[in-house]
Amino acid sequence: MSNSSISDPAPAWLDKGDNAWQMTAASLVALQSLPGLAVIYAGLVPQRWVINSMMMVFYAFAMVLICWVLWGYKVAFGEYMIPIAGIPNTVTRMSDELQQSVLPSANLTQNFPQATMIYFQFVFAAITLVLTAGGFLARMNFRAWMLFVPLWLTFSYCIGAYSLWGGGWAFQMGVLDYSGGYVIHLSSGTAAFTGAYWIGPRLKKDRERFIPNNLPLMMVGAGILWIGWNGFNGGDPYAASPDAGAAVLNTNICTAASMLTWTLLDTVVHGKPSIIGSVNGMITGLVGITPAAGFVAGWGAIIIGACTGAIPWVSMNIAGKRWSLFRNYVDDTLGITHTHMVAGALGGFLTGLFATAPGVAAFADTNPGGAIDGNGRQVWLQIVGALFIWGWNVVWTSLIMLFIKYVCRIPLRMSEEDMLIGDDAIHGETAYCFFDNELSDTVSGPQVIEGKHVRSTADFDPPPNQGSKIESHRKEL
């Protein structure tokens, strides 16, 4: 490619509409992480874990971007090296950013610059690590998280992305994953499940009583997540195409059906509709439709939504509470195993059943659709793809955790003392600063716990008698 074609402000290959939509879609996905999931996590955890939860999200977003432009993008979407990975390389030169986007191993070109594709794929990589963090909250050592992010991105996410999207073996076989049901959600759910096992559980008191500190804040994040998914699924045709519109509509149909199914089950079984339960149902619907979004018809989206509202509900509320594996060994803080691993695998399987030939063709794929259109082989391909992503992530998440713990000598879990204190011990900050810190320290004096300087306990405890009043009120309710 000549320098003149790179520097041309309006090259012949550029479609301004496609480029504008792709950048908009990428920005919507970025908002799902910052602030979307950051404030969902902050609202769902007790007050002393707000800062740490948001910081895990914030750090992952930044670290993934640097790794992505230095080597990650080319491993996931570059030229063929092996069936599961492209050749590592940087994409930091101006010529990298201005040239036409090409996915060489998949033999695909797009009508926008490579810079747009790099950023669009980055926000998907970032949100995968952000979702994984939801399983580790309230006890993972932050230094271990700092090392886990680049390692897992490199050896897990990039491999899945190349295999299913970048032109690798699963792409060539015909496994369908419209926008990341496997690459993002199944992988993050599996990593959360596996990593939670190696890290170990939260404090006993947190497992027994993990009270959300701000449900309205959680709902703000949930709204950002839902609407941001229009870019998540609507951006994956890589064009402002009819199929992008179908993907957006189906995304919302499935999400509504899933949320309503989960809420109905809460009402029937527990006697009351739960706002947290409804958000879980919303998330499982978003996850379940992701591998199918532009492939299925509207009726297929409703069926998928009913399934993703029901099966993950059973997984979380019955298996998750009764199975000894979850009660004794795997402490997945926010249930990412159920909302992403279970829902992602389920959505991928149902894609094999309900993908339509016209929907797949509108996506510019030559696959003849799913079982509903006579291609029963697609069901088995979807199972193979799911097993690969699941197995690869169990193995590599385990290897990375063991490397951090035994080779790098960094504890995976915080100390008991840090877990008792939370944000102030780990970051020296608290979430809700409705007091004068200097005055508080002057009047009450500092406290020292195990050699760590923290603010007076008066800053954290409720006013005199307030705790007993609150507990009395709960009993009355």
Side-chain angles (χ1 to χ4, degrees), residues 240-272:
S241 67
D243 199 50
V248 170
L249 178 60
N250 289 334
T251 295
N252 286 269
I253 292 172
C254 181
T255 303
S258 181
M259 190 209 79
L260 294 173
T261 302
W262 194 296
T263 303
L264 179 62
L265 287 169
D266 275 347
T267 304
V268 171
V269 176
H270 301 306
K272 297 178 181 178

Side-chain angles (χ1 to χ4, degrees), residues 107-411:
N107 196 29
L108 297 172
T109 59
Q110 295 78 43
N111 296 325
F112 48 75
Q114 186 169 249
T116 301
M117 178 63 85
I118 293 167
Y119 186 75
F120 180 77
Q121 295 297 347
F122 149 67
V123 292
F124 280 83
I127 201 171
T128 309
L129 268 301
V130 168
L131 291 168
T132 302
F136 304 159
L137 300 181
R139 87 277 196 190
M140 187 176 189
N141 181 356
F142 194 80
R143 288 186 299 142
W145 176 244
M146 293 175 73
L147 190 54
F148 177 84
V149 170
L151 289 174
W152 193 87
L153 172 76
T154 303
F155 295 105
S156 189
Y157 180 83
C158 289
I159 301 304
Y162 183 84
S163 296
L164 272 79
W165 287 344
W169 71 273
F171 176 91
Q172 301 298 336
M173 282 183 62
V175 177
L176 294 175
D177 187 6
Y178 192 89
S179 196
Y182 287 172
V183 175
I184 296 170
H185 301 298
L186 179 56
S187 66
S188 62
T190 303
F193 172 84
T194 308
Y197 171 82
W198 291 111
I199 295 167
R202 291 165 287 168
L203 291 175
K204 183 179 179 182
K205 73 168 191 174
D206 277 342
R207 295 202 71 181
E208 294 174 349
R209 187 177 175 81
F210 203 65
I211 305 298
N213 82 97
N214 195 327
L215 291 185
L217 183 66
M218 175 206 69
M219 281 303 300
V220 170
I224 294 170
L225 197 67
W226 184 336
I227 303 307
W229 226 280
N230 292 340
F232 198 106
N233 288 345
D236 260 297
Y238 302 148
S241 67
D243 199 50
V248 170
L249 178 60
N250 289 334
T251 295
N252 286 269
I253 292 172
C254 181
T255 303
S258 181
M259 190 209 79
L260 294 173
T261 302
W262 194 296
T263 303
L264 179 62
L265 287 169
D266 275 347
T267 304
V268 171
V269 176
H270 301 306
K272 297 178 181 178
S274 163
I275 189 67
I276 295 176
S278 294
V279 169
N280 280 330
M282 176 202 84
I283 291 171
T284 56
L286 291 167
V287 169
I289 194 61
T290 292
F295 297 146
V296 299
W299 58 265
I302 293 174
I303 295 173
I304 293 173
C307 293
T308 56
I311 295 175
W313 186 96
V314 172
S315 171
M316 179 178 287
N317 289 281
I318 297 178
K321 293 179 180 178
R322 298 181 183 177
W323 194 10
S324 62
L325 177 66
F326 290 103
R327 288 190 287 107
N328 300 323
Y329 301 104
V330 178
D331 178 21
D332 179 350
T333 309
L334 298 183
I336 308 301
T337 300
H338 310 286
T339 57
H340 289 78
M341 187 176 82
V342 174
L346 178 61
F349 173 77
L350 293 174
T351 299
L353 290 177
F354 299 119
T356 66
V360 175
F363 189 65
D365 199 316
T366 58
N367 192 299
I372 195 68
D373 274 353
N375 182 27
R377 178 174 178 270
Q378 192 62 45
V379 176
W380 296 106
L381 287 176
Q382 297 304 108
I383 293 173
V384 169
L387 289 174
F388 168 74
I389 293 293
W390 185 84
W392 186 271
N393 279 280
V394 167
V395 171
W396 277 95
T397 302
S398 297
L399 290 174
I400 291 167
M401 288 290 184
L402 293 172
F403 173 79
I404 293 170
K405 182 176 182 179
Y406 293 109
V407 178
C408 300
R409 302 289 182 176
I410 298 175

Side-chain angles (χ1 to χ4, degrees), residues 73-97:
Y73 176 77
K74 285 295 186 179
V75 174
F77 294 97
E79 295 180 0
Y80 176 90
M81 180 174 69
I82 55 177
I84 59 172
I87 300 172
N89 205 344
T90 65
V91 285
T92 55
R93 299 175 295 272
M94 184 57 73
S95 58
D96 296 322
E97 298 183 8

